Structure formats: structure tokens, C-alpha cells
């Protein structure tokens, strides 16, 4: 079965802007889900609020499009009430790390058996491009008109520190690697976190000299560095270029899981 | 065999839930409701149910909604500050037609207020607290027995209407111990579940309620808090879709007001009528007992929302209503909207129940 | 197998142009009736998936389809060879 068969064809095309990376990540996630062979009846797709969180609405399976930031708490309830269901959560950087930050660390801590895919576009897309907890220092947004001054969250590191069993980061350029990482996440019991850097040409790119969708894809291509190389450079005391996106698998472990199949 | 028992209101509430088949509890500790969570934590695992202490009340209600969508009976219990945090997701439960039970053991507010003292300050919040137009059901127990029975009944109402049902108790009833009869079983209504996958999972049946489509049964249902059509798909800019949906959500509850209403009428020929719900009901009972005046009656609400707005039919000779409440007058205002004779509010703040003498004086003042 | 772009779904982002290693997609020139400039295909029979999918029994490459944010790229079975009508001019 091809990932295309998982879409609600009657709802396409999506509401996403031209060249938005969210669609790519949904393709990869659905490819991974069909590769692991889950049946539609056993998967529930959950999300919060944001452009990225519209994903479940396009998938032909049970899906819960919840309130802003709360997807993981809803998903926790579903998983614990019926551990036979497989949970896949789509979320955005604002949804997950700002308003939903507390649920995020606690879902990691509990190591609830679910796979969480965060489309990190470094911006609040749906509300028109305000700064988020992952907006890089200096980047322009409608609420950081003079450049973002706050520090950012490293979402993957946060998930690891909080206790997730699996964590990986890729980008919408690395479709094969991203698919494989999501698949590994689906197959790893416990909380699996996959951070997917995505382009938001409308809310982010337009204000940060990455106007065309392909500009951002090109940025991902040229600025990504494998985790192994990054670690080596650090160990050797060498300089890592700023703006580097470190990609790869960061953790895979088997801490005790909450809500595993009974 | 039913058995006589001497237990705390909060424990009776938890036992009523368990008897009704509640198998999921998500909560966060808060006085004066915590005993409910603690009791559920102890009992649920023994009946293959799930207890989870969430990171806050927003998470609690979210987890309960998620659990409810797997088809289990699910509940949470809290008090004012927690209820405030739950508000957004209560609106979500209304919009997505999720059956669930919320127990509010009311304490003095605003803010952290009086954690260990009773109040009825949340009676409007449970009805109007979330944004937008909607309707819910709220029950208000006055005895430990009712903590048990009403909690069990709340699940039937929630399932029937696919709506959040509130048990609006207070610190007095929650922490009071009194004798009660534990029945062998409680009435459990079957859930109207769709048996087959439908392309219109949110198409209502004649009573305005769509058959339930829990997750994991092949319904492929998309559930969203956005305004949605009968397919469950977002439709956020079409005024007709929104109007139809919201009107139905309200009407499915409000149109059955008379059928589901639950109240006690004492002395329908009365000229002066006490109107009460929850703990002050006990003070009224005492006052009536002490007064021994057959021109005084009592309209005691067991279901506060939807409000029985046909009160005047029940007390055709009434000249005044006296409404003792543990707030500055909330339900008295609702009553005022529906009657033509004076409504005398007898407010009480601070946590202590009304004195029967205070109520007797109010009757004398009304005459 | 035949590579096709669904003109009702494509939004014209040109990401397919960016990612295909064979440069099979190139930016389109004219907007269609939806106002979208759908990319054009340059000798799509060169596509790895077109050539090898049947042989390997699975999607080969497929990067354009996975990347296309609007689910507009797919492969269709080609109809069996049909003799084309040739307008013969006498
Ligand atoms: C409680 C609440 N606050 C604010 C909003 C408004 N809002 C909707 S989406 C959004 C931000 C979404 O950003 P992100 O999670 O990064 O997702 P993206 O749209 O970028 O994919 C906000 C603030 C809301 N819907 N609910
Ligand atoms: S605003 Fe950004 S994230 Fe939202 S659909 Fe447009 S490109 Fe995508
Ligand atoms: S990637 Fe898809 S949507 Fe974008 S131009 Fe190519 S076919 Fe069209
Ligand atoms: S499958 Fe690969 S080779 Fe074929 S068109 Fe797509 S990107 Fe190019």
C-alpha cells in the first residue's frame, strides 16, 4: 500500500500555502505508517492547533484535532484507555513547545507509547508569522520586528532530557531519512520524538530572505550536518558553522513505558 | 443486597462512578475534591480501569476527552481553580460531542480563595464558562446518597446527549459523612453507538444527537473543535454550517428540559417558596421543619442546568421566592429571568451554611 | 509506468524541480485554469521509478512524490500498446 492511499482524497488539496513543508512531512509519516503495516482501525492521529496540526484531518483514519498545545494530553488519555490503539501525534513548534511545553515534558517523562512528529517551522504559521520558542536569534517575525532576542529551545534535546525513548531530527529535504526515522519511532516502544525542520515560506521565509520554497530546501540541504560529524567536530574542538541543523538519530533506548500494549 | 454504609461524600461520588462503569479517571489534586482522585487511584486498577494524575487540570480534562473517544466512561474531579483551567477544553468537549463527567467540589473563590470551605460560586462558570454558545447539564447533590446516585446518573446523561455533565457539589457535601444505602447496581443506559461506518458521522438522529463513533472501530472519524459539517470536516467560514451546528448542540439539551428535569416540589400551594440546590437545601429542610408553616414551600433543584424555567406552573400561588445560595446570588438571577414575582436572594459567603433561623427570618420578611 | 502531475492538486511550488536527480521536472510556463503554473515534464521515461518499479516490485527513488507537499505526483499504469490512429493524408 502506498502512502497516498492513507489520504482522504476528498479533502485534497490541503489548505497549506504553496510549497509549505507540512505536506511533505505528512507524506513521510504515512509512508512510515504503511511500511510498518498498521491497519487503519488501530491507528489514531492526534494534533493540536496550527497549520501543522491540520494534518490528521487529511488522513483517512480515526483522528482527533484538539486544542492549542494539548494534543499530547489528549493522546495520553486515548493511549492509556485503550493501549491497543497506535498513536501518532502531529504538532508544531509553538503548539508543542510554547503553550504545550508542560504536556511535552511530562509525556516524555511518562514515556507514553506514542510517536510525536513536530513540524518545526520556527514560527507561528497559522496566526501569520509571530515568533515561537524556536525562532532563531535575530530572525524577523511579526512580533520580533527587530530580530528575535530570546534564546531558543532545542526540541530534540528537550525530549531526551525529559525521558523520551527515541529522538531524531531531520528536515523536509531529507525525505527518505525522515521516513526511516519516523518508522524507527513507530517501532520503538515508548515516547518517540521526531523533529522535522520544515519550510514556512509564508510566515518565515518571506521575512528572512528565504522567499521561495526551494530557498529553504536549499538551506536545509546546505546547512544540515550529521550528528556524528557534529560530535566529531566538537570533540576536535573545531568550529561548527552557525545556523547548522544537526540531523540524525539522537537516542534509542528502552526506559520503562507507560501505556504499552497489554 | 444493598448495604448501609457510613461514608464521605467524595467517596460516595467515586463509588457511584465505579458502579456506573467509569473506567478512566484523569485528575490533578485539589482540595476539597482530592479524595475522589485518591479513591479512584486505589479502585480503578482493580477493575482494569485507568487512573492518571496529569500535570495540570488542562491535561486532566484533555486526557478524559481522549479516553472518552475510545468508548470508555471517563471522568475528572476538581474544584474552582481547576475548573477555570479546564474551560477551553470543556468547550472542545461540547463542540466534539464528547460524553464525560466533571465533578466540581466547589470552594470559596475567586482565585485560590478558601480551599477548605464550601461555596456555590461556580454555578455560572459551569454553564457559561467556556467561550461561545452552548449548553450542558449540571446536577447538584445535597446528600451523600445523592453524591453516589447523581454521579452514576451523570454518566447516563452524558452518554445520551454526548455532552459534558457536571456534578456541582461543594465542600460541605463532599467532606460530610452520613449514612447512605449502597445499592447493588445502578441503572446503566446503553450507549447509542453507530454499528457501521458512515460518511456522515456527525449527522444527528431525530433527537439531535448523532450516534457515537468511538476510535478503533473502523469509523475513520475526524473529530475537530473547528466548526464542522456532518462529515466531521472543518467548515469554518460558512455561516449556515456554524449556525446549524451550534443551534443543534444547544437544542439537543435544551429541547428536552422538561423530560430530563429533576427537582422536588414541597407544598405546591405555598405562597412563599424556597428555591435551593446543593448544601443550602439542608438548611431549608431544617427551616421548613422548624417553621411548620403550610404557606411555605420548597422548590429543590437536583438538576440546575438546564434550568426548569416553568417554576411558576409548579407554584401557582407563590408570592415570593427565597433563594439561599452560597454565593452572592447566581441562580436567584436565573430564576428572576423566568418569574414575575419577587425573588429574594439570601447570599452566604465564607463557607458556613445558612442558619435555619436566618431563613425563617427571610420568610417573615417576605410576608 | 507513466509519471503524471495532477493539475487539480499541484500548487506550482516547483519543489519537484528542485529534488529530482534526473531533472525531469522543469518550471512550467503558463498558468492553468486554476491559475497554477504546473511544472512540465522533460522526457519522463527517464525516471528511475518509471523504468524500474515493475522490475523491483516497489517504488524506486520516488523522492519527488514524497516531497511534493500537495500529493500531486503519481505513476499511472500505461495502457497496453494501442495502435495510434494516423491521420493519413492523401
Ligand atoms: C488557546 C489558544 N491560543 C492561541 C491560539 C491561536 N493560535 C492558533 S495556531 C497558533 C500558533 C501555531 O503555531 P505552531 O504551533 O508553530 O504551528 P504552525 O502553524 O506554525 O504549523 C496560535 C497561537 C489558539 N488557537 N488557541
Ligand atoms: S503559513 Fe506557513 S506553515 Fe502555515 S500553511 Fe503557510 S507555509 Fe505552511
Ligand atoms: S512539488 Fe508537487 S505541488 Fe509542487 S510543483 Fe511539483 S507537482 Fe506541483
Ligand atoms: S521518482 Fe525520482 S527520478 Fe523519478 S521523477 Fe521522481 S525524483 Fe525524478
Amino acid at each position: 500500500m502506498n502512502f497516498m492511499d492513507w489520504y482522504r482524497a476528498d479533502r485534497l488539496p490541503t489548505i497549506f500555502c504553496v510549497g509549505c513543508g507540512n505536506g511533505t512531512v505528512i507524506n513521510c509519516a504515512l509512508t512510515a505508517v504503511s511500511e510498518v503495516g498498521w491497519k487503519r482501525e488501530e491507528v489514531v492521529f492526534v494534533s493540536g492547533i496550527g497549520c501543522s496540526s491540520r494534518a490528521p484531518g487529511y488522513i483517512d483514519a480515526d483522528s482527533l484535532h484538539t486544542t492549542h498545545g494539548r494534543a499530547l494530553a489528549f493522546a495520553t488519555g486515548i493511549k492509556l484507555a485503550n493501549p491497543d490503539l497506535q498513536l501518532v501525534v502531529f504538532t508544531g513548534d509553538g503548539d508543542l513547545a510554547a503553550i504545550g511545553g508542560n504536556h511535552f515534558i511530562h509525556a516524555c517523562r511518562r514515556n507514553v507509547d506514542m510517536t510525536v512528529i513536530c513540524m518545526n517551522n520556527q514560527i507561528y504559521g497559522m496566526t501569520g508569522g509571530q515568533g515561537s520558542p524556536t525562532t532563531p536569534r535575530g530572525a524577523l517575525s511579526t512580533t520580533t520586528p527587530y530580530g528575535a532576542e530570546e534564546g531558543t529551545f532545542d526540541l530534540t534535546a528537550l525530549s531526551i532530557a525529559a525521558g523520551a525513548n527515541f529522538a531524531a531530527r531531520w528536515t523536509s529535504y531529507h525525505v527518505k531519512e525522515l521516513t526511516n526515522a519516523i518508522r524507527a519511532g513507530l517501532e520503538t516502544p515508548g515516547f518517540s520524538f521526531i523533529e522535522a525542520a520544515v519550510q514556512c515560506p509564508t510566515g518565515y521565509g518571506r521575512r528572512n530572505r528565504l522567499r521561495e520554497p526551494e530557498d529553504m530546501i536549499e538551506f536545509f540541504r546546505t546547512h544540515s550536518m550529521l550528528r556524528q560529524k557534529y560530535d566529531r567536530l566538537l570533540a576536535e574542538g573545531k568550529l561548527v558553522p552557525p545556523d547548522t541543523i544537526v540531523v540524525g538519530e539522537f537516542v534509542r533506548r528502552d526506559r520503562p513505558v507507560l501505556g504499552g500494549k497489554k | 443486597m444493598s448495604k448501609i454504609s457510613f461514608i464521605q461524600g467524595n467517596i460516595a461520588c467515586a463509588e457511584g462512578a465505579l458502579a456506573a462503569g467509569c473506567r478512566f479517571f484523569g485528575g490533578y489534586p485539589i482540595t476539597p475534591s482530592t479524595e475522589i482522585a485518591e479513591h479512584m487511584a486505589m479502585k480503578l486498577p482493580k477493575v482494569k480501569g485507568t487512573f492518571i494524575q496529569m500535570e495540570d487540570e488542562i491535561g486532566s480534562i484533555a486526557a478524559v476527552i481522549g479516553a472518552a473517544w475510545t468508548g470508555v466512561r471517563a471522568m475528572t474531579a476538581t474544584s474552582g481553580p481547576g475548573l477555570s483551567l479546564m474551560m477551553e477544553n470543556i468547550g472542545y468537549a461540547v463542540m466534539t460531542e464528547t460524553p464525560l463527567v466533571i465533578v466540581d467540589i466547589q470552594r470559596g473563590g475567586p482565585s485560590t480563595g478558601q480551599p477548605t470551605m464550601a461555596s456555590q460560586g461556580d454555578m455560572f462558570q459551569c454553564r457559561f464558562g467556556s467561550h461561545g454558545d452552548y449548553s450542558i447539564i449540571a446536577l447538584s447533590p445535597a446528600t451523600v446518597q445523592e453524591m453516589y446516585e447523581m454521579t452514576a446518573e451523570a454518566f447516563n446523561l452524558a452518554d445520551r446527549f454526548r455532552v459534558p455533565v457536571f456534578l456541582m457539589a461543594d465542600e460541605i457535601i463532599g467532606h460530610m459523612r452520613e449514612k447512605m444505602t449502597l445499592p447493588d447496581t445502578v441503572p446503566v443506559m446503553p450507549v447509542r453507538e453507530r454499528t457501521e461506518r458512515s460518511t456522515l458521522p456527525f449527522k444527528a438522529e431525530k433527537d439531535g444527537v448523532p450516534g457515537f463513533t468511538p476510535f478503533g472501530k473502523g469509523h475513520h472519524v475526524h473529530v475537530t473543535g473547528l466548526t464542522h459539517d456532518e462529515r466531521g470536516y472543518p467548515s469554518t467560514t460558512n455561516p449556515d454550517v456554524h449556525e446549524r451546528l451550534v443551534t443543534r448542540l444547544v437544542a439537543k439539551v435544551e429541547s428536552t428540559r422538561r423530560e430530563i428535569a429533576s427537582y422536588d416540589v414541597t407544598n405546591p400551594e405555598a405562597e412563599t417558596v424556597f428555591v435551593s440546590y446543593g448544601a443550602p437545601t439542608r438548611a431549608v429542610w431544617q427551616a421548613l421543619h422548624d417553621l411548620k408553616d403550610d404557606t411555605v414551600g420548597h422548590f429543590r433543584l437536583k438538576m440546575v442546568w438546564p434550568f426548569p424555567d416553568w417554576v411558576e406552573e409548579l407554584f401557582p400561588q407563590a408570592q415570593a421566592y427565597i433563594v439561599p445560595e452560597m454565593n452572592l446570588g447566581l441562580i436567584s438571577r436565573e430564576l428572576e429571568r423566568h418569574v414575575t414575582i419577587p425573588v429574594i436572594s439570601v447570599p452566604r459567603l465564607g463557607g458556613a451554611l445558612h442558619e435555619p433561623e436566618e431563613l425563617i427570618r427571610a420568610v417573615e420578611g417576605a410576608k | 509506468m507513466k509519471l503524471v502531475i495532477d493539475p487539480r492538486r499541484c500548487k506550482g511550488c516547483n519543489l519537484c524541480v528542485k529534488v529530482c536527480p534526473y531533472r525531469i521536472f522543469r518550471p512550467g510556463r503558463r498558468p492553468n485554469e486554476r491559475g497554477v503554473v504546473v511544472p512540465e515534464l522533460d522526457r519522463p521515461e527517464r525516471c528511475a521509478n518509471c523504468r524500474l518499479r515493475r522490475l523491483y516490485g516497489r517504488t524506486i527513488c520516488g523522492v519527488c512524490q514524497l516531497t511534493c507537499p500537495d500529493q500531486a505526483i503519481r505513476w499511472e499504469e500505461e495502457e497496453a500498446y494501442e495502435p495510434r490512429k494516423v491521420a493519413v493524408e492523401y
Side-chain angles (χ1 to χ4, degrees):
Chain A
M1 197 162 78
N2 182 270
F3 73 87
M4 287 281 213
D5 303 328
W6 280 80
Y7 277 99
R8 288 182 191 266
D10 59 340
R11 289 213 65 212
L12 297 177
T14 62
I15 59 157
F16 302 141
C17 307
V18 178
C20 169
N22 290 338
T24 306
V25 176
I26 307 173
N27 292 344
C28 296
L30 293 180
T31 305
V33 169
S34 52
E35 279 175 8
V36 295
W38 286 350
K39 289 197 276 304
R40 271 169 227 251
E41 290 68 45
E42 58 180 342
V43 199
V44 182
F45 295 89
V46 182
S47 66
I49 294 289
C51 297
S52 39
S53 289
R54 287 298 191 104
Y58 298 110
I59 302 174
D60 191 16
D62 289 331
S63 50
L64 194 67
H65 175 226
T66 71
T67 47
H68 194 27
R70 318 299 171 195
L72 295 180
F74 282 89
T76 299
I78 297 172
K79 185 67 192 178
L80 296 188
N82 185 354
D84 291 336
L85 294 173
Q86 304 287 0
L87 269 289
V88 179
V89 180
F90 291 99
T91 178
D93 44 302
D95 193 59
L96 182 80
I99 189 164
N102 202 28
H103 305 302
F104 179 34
I105 55 175
H106 285 280
C108 292
R109 171 182 67 81
R110 294 189 180 103
N111 211 10
V112 191
D113 188 23
M114 58 173 72
T115 300
V116 177
I117 302 162
C118 178
M119 285 100 135
N120 181 358
N121 55 15
Q122 305 181 312
I123 204 84
Y124 283 16
M126 177 140 276
T127 41
Q130 297 78 24
S132 95
T134 57
T135 305
R137 244 180 238 281
L140 300 182
S141 76
T142 60
T143 50
T144 58
Y146 308 108
E149 292 177 338
E150 300 176 8
T152 57
F153 267 144
D154 177 336
L155 301 178
T156 299
L158 194 56
S159 75
I160 297 167
N165 257 1
F166 179 90
R169 183 192 293 116
W170 289 100
T171 79
S172 52
Y173 169 71
H174 302 92
V175 284
K176 294 276 176 176
E177 295 87 344
L178 177 60
T179 304
N180 290 337
I182 296 174
R183 179 175 177 165
L186 298 174
E187 287 169 339
T188 308
F191 194 94
S192 300
F193 181 66
I194 294 98
E195 180 181 351
V198 293
Q199 70 276 18
C200 168
T202 310
Y204 187 83
R206 198 156 51 101
R207 296 189 179 86
N208 291 284
R209 291 200 224 108
L210 296 159
R211 181 167 288 271
E212 300 299 328
E214 65 220 56
D215 296 343
M216 198 88 190
I217 291 290
E218 179 64 16
F219 181 90
F220 290 155
R221 192 179 73 79
T222 51
H223 288 70
S224 296
M225 183 187 288
L226 262 179
R227 182 203 159 198
Q228 287 76 359
K229 180 174 176 194
Y230 177 80
D231 289 345
R232 199 179 62 235
L233 288 183
L234 281 194
E236 292 167 359
K238 295 211 176 99
L239 223 60
V240 179
D243 300 341
T244 298
I245 306 169
V246 189
V247 293
E249 183 178 308
F250 289 78
V251 80
R252 198 194 291 227
R253 55 192 174 187
D254 57 354
R255 294 178 58 251
V257 170
L258 194 68
K261 270 201 179 190
K262 270 182 187 154
Chain B
M1 272 295 290
S2 56
K3 69 173 201 265
I4 306 291
S5 139
F6 192 79
I7 54 175
Q8 194 196 51
N10 281 346
I11 305 300
C13 168
E15 284 294 331
L18 291 165
C22 173
R23 291 297 175 267
F24 188 94
F25 185 100
Y28 190 83
I30 184 167
T31 307
S33 77
T34 309
E35 295 84 2
I36 302 173
E38 289 170 341
H39 198 70
M40 292 303 250
M42 196 160 62
K43 288 290 183 77
L44 272 173
K46 296 186 177 161
V47 291
K48 293 202 170 65
T50 307
F51 169 87
I52 183 159
Q53 179 175 324
M54 292 299 288
E55 49 275 14
D56 57 28
E57 286 85 348
I58 304 175
S60 305
I61 183 82
V64 166
I65 296 170
W69 270 97
T70 70
V72 304
R73 286 190 151 180
M75 77 181 288
T76 185
T78 188
S79 189
L83 192 68
S84 294
L85 283 184
M86 289 181 187
M87 279 304 153
E88 187 195 9
N89 283 340
I90 289 172
Y92 180 83
V94 169
M95 196 61 151
T96 55
E97 305 186 64
T98 309
L100 55 92
V101 172
I102 300 166
V103 178
D104 179 12
I105 310 297
Q106 297 169 83
R107 66 189 228 183
S111 192
T112 317
Q114 292 176 293
T116 60
M117 302 297 268
S119 132
Q120 295 182 310
D122 308 347
M123 295 311 296
F124 273 18
Q125 196 189 19
C126 75
R127 173 66 184 82
F128 301 106
S130 198
H131 54 285
D133 287 292
Y134 64 99
S135 190
I136 49 83
I137 295 172
L139 305 169
S140 182
T143 65
V144 171
Q145 185 81 40
E146 286 177 353
M147 282 294 269
Y148 183 93
E149 287 166 5
M150 284 188 183
T151 306
E153 181 55 18
F155 284 96
N156 287 336
L157 290 165
D159 282 344
R160 174 173 163 193
F161 292 99
R162 291 186 59 178
V163 72
V165 176
F166 292 81
L167 188 83
M168 297 303 289
D170 55 71
E171 189 275 336
I172 292 174
I173 309 297
H175 279 165
M176 183 169 65
R177 278 167 210 277
E178 70 183 356
K179 201 169 82 175
M180 68 160 289
T181 315
L182 270 175
D184 294 332
T185 54
V186 295
V188 174
M189 310 285 194
V191 180
R192 191 173 55 200
E193 239 178 63
R194 279 184 202 263
T195 46
E196 272 168 35
R197 184 179 177 197
S198 157
T199 49
L200 301 176
F202 285 92
K203 187 174 165 57
E205 292 176 27
K206 277 197 206 68
D207 61 355
V209 186
F212 197 40
T213 50
F215 291 162
K217 304 243 172 112
H219 291 295
H220 299 201
V221 60
H222 179 55
V223 181
T224 176
L226 289 169
T227 297
H228 46 273
D229 57 23
E230 292 175 338
R231 293 174 299 176
Y233 293 174
S235 170
T236 56
T237 51
N238 182 333
D240 296 335
V241 173
H242 185 77
E243 186 179 354
R244 215 176 315 130
L245 174 63
V246 176
T247 310
R248 177 174 68 75
L249 294 181
V250 173
K252 72 177 178 181
V253 177
E254 297 294 326
S255 64
T256 58
R257 271 199 301 242
R258 281 186 188 253
E259 187 218 322
I260 62 173
S262 176
Y263 46 71
D264 292 333
V265 171
T266 310
N267 194 7
E269 280 80 46
E271 286 162 20
T272 310
V273 179
F274 281 115
V275 179
S276 76
Y277 57 92
T281 301
R282 303 175 72 97
V284 174
W285 284 336
Q286 189 60 45
L288 289 177
H289 179 265
D290 297 349
L291 262 169
K292 296 197 178 55
D293 179 346
D294 55 14
T295 66
V296 182
H298 186 191
F299 184 49
R300 183 273 163 115
L301 298 164
K302 295 186 198 167
M303 183 183 287
V304 178
W305 302 112
F307 189 81
D309 51 18
W310 54 95
V311 195
E312 296 204 307
E313 297 171 20
L314 303 169
F315 294 94
Q317 285 151 50
Q319 304 295 317
Y321 294 104
I322 301 176
V323 191
E325 292 180 88
M326 302 182 76
N327 53 45
L328 287 179
L330 294 177
I331 296 303
S332 64
R333 284 185 225 174
E334 176 67 13
L335 179 64
E336 254 172 357
R337 299 205 300 138
H338 304 296
V339 298
T340 46
I341 58 170
V343 173
I344 301 160
S345 169
V346 187
R348 221 348 140 109
L349 291 185
L353 206 49
H354 300 71
E355 304 289 342
E357 300 76 55
E358 185 183 356
L359 300 183
I360 292 169
R361 274 199 304 280
V363 172
E364 283 156 5
K367 280 190 173 169
Chain C
M1 305 296 284
K2 195 170 90 188
L3 178 70
V4 289
I5 300 179
D6 185 339
R8 289 159 310 167
R9 288 191 183 169
C10 173
K11 291 178 187 161
C13 66
N14 286 338
L15 287 181
C16 47
V17 177
K18 172 101 194 139
V19 298
C20 173
Y22 292 88
R23 301 196 176 283
I24 283 170
F25 303 85
R26 56 178 185 220
R29 273 168 292 197
R30 247 167 283 120
N32 67 9
E33 66 276 13
R34 288 171 57 235
V36 173
V37 185
V38 177
E40 293 169 356
L41 301 180
D42 176 16
R43 289 163 290 152
E45 60 278 7
R46 293 179 297 141
C47 158
N49 195 41
C50 297
R51 289 182 285 120
L52 301 173
R53 170 135 129 193
R54 192 143 315 123
L55 185 63
Y56 287 90
R58 61 185 168 86
T59 305
I60 302 298
C61 180
V63 165
C64 54
Q65 191 191 39
L66 214 46
T67 302
C68 172
D70 286 289
Q71 299 76 40
I73 298 174
R74 60 171 196 273
W75 286 271
E76 283 179 352
E77 293 290 335
E78 257 168 318
E79 305 99 58
Y81 174 74
E82 273 177 47
R84 256 176 245 163
K85 281 201 195 107
V86 182
V88 184
E89 289 176 36
Y90 293 99

